[in-house]
Amino acid sequence: IVTQRDINGRAALVIDLRARLERLLSGAASKAVHRAVNVGGRIPSTRTRCTLLYSDIRDFTSFSEANEPERVVGFLNQAMTIMVDAIARAGGDIDKMIGDAVLARFQGAQAEERAINAAREALRLLEQAGLPRGVGVGVYTGDPISGTVGSADRMDFTVIGDSVNLAARLCSAAARGEIVADLDT
């Protein structure tokens, strides 16, 4: 016999699992999945206007090679928390974390301004934290393709294209504590 208590317990587990899984997804990916469920499961790829923020920890490889894994992960989590929180406060959406890099998208009103403000705030807070390595940031506004890439067994919802590559290249040109953006942004 299944009781209401059993049903409530299972529902609570499902809600908890859903919340944990959604923390692994960008806001855009979560919305795309919810829309897909309502329209038969397909997630279309589209061009989308957005401002991309790409950040990368400078000289992270040498730091990770010279330190214990626990210290490396602790530092990385501290730096990522600062970046992610600043991006969220400015209304950005984390597309992905790639090792020691963050790719975020800003859409809608004042996307460029919000991305630059997020980068400025993050760099200020990272400097105040006195971390062993600094961060460089690239910001670019363009029209990347937004959608799913991968195989039938493992997919990722992301942005791809020249806009993402340009944001990454601008980031590569940025020194520690510096933001490099395209002229239009």
Side-chain angles (χ1 to χ4, degrees):
I1 287 180
V2 177
T3 66
Q4 185 62 47
R5 182 177 170 177
D6 293 331
I7 293 169
N8 291 346
R10 290 177 187 169
L13 287 174
V14 168
I15 290 168
D16 181 57
L17 177 61
R18 179 178 174 178
R20 290 172 187 255
L21 287 172
E22 285 188 352
R23 283 187 18 217
L24 299 173
L25 301 173
S26 68
S30 181
K31 288 175 188 169
V33 169
H34 285 282
R35 278 192 306 268
V37 168
N38 294 330
V39 296
R42 188 171 174 281
I43 300 175
S45 294
T46 59
R47 288 231 177 244
T48 180
R49 185 74 173 171
C50 62
T51 299
L52 300 168
L53 181 154
Y54 197 104
S55 71
D56 185 63
I57 297 173
R58 297 296 171 241
D59 202 25
F60 180 75
T61 300
S62 69
F63 178 80
S64 63
E65 290 171 349
N67 289 278
E68 293 299 315
E70 296 80 8
R71 182 162 188 238
V72 172
V73 170
F75 159 59
L76 188 56
N77 286 338
Q78 189 178 4
M80 290 292 190
T81 296
I82 291 169
M83 287 299 305
V84 168
D85 289 350
I87 290 165
R89 280 191 295 277
D93 184 31
I94 304 298
D95 186 79
K96 67 175 64 291
M97 289 179 258
I98 313 150
D100 62 314
V102 173
L103 173 62
R105 63 169 99 180
F106 291 79
Q107 292 179 274
Q110 300 173 321
E112 296 92 345
E113 182 180 342
R114 291 184 291 113
I116 296 292
N117 288 341
R120 285 180 175 153
E121 178 187 2
L123 292 177
R124 181 180 55 78
L125 293 172
L126 287 162
E127 188 63 32
Q128 286 177 357
L131 300 176
R133 297 289 189 270
V135 172
V137 179
V139 179
Y140 183 81
T141 301
D143 299 301
I145 298 167
S146 179
T148 54
V149 295
S151 72
D153 294 330
R154 174 64 170 91
M155 300 185 96
D156 191 12
F157 185 88
T158 190
V159 286
I160 59 170
D162 288 345
S163 297
V164 177
N165 294 338
L166 287 166
R169 287 188 185 121
L170 292 171
C171 178
S172 293
R176 174 185 177 145
E178 186 175 53
I179 303 164
V180 176
D182 65 292
L183 187 58
D184 290 337
T185 299

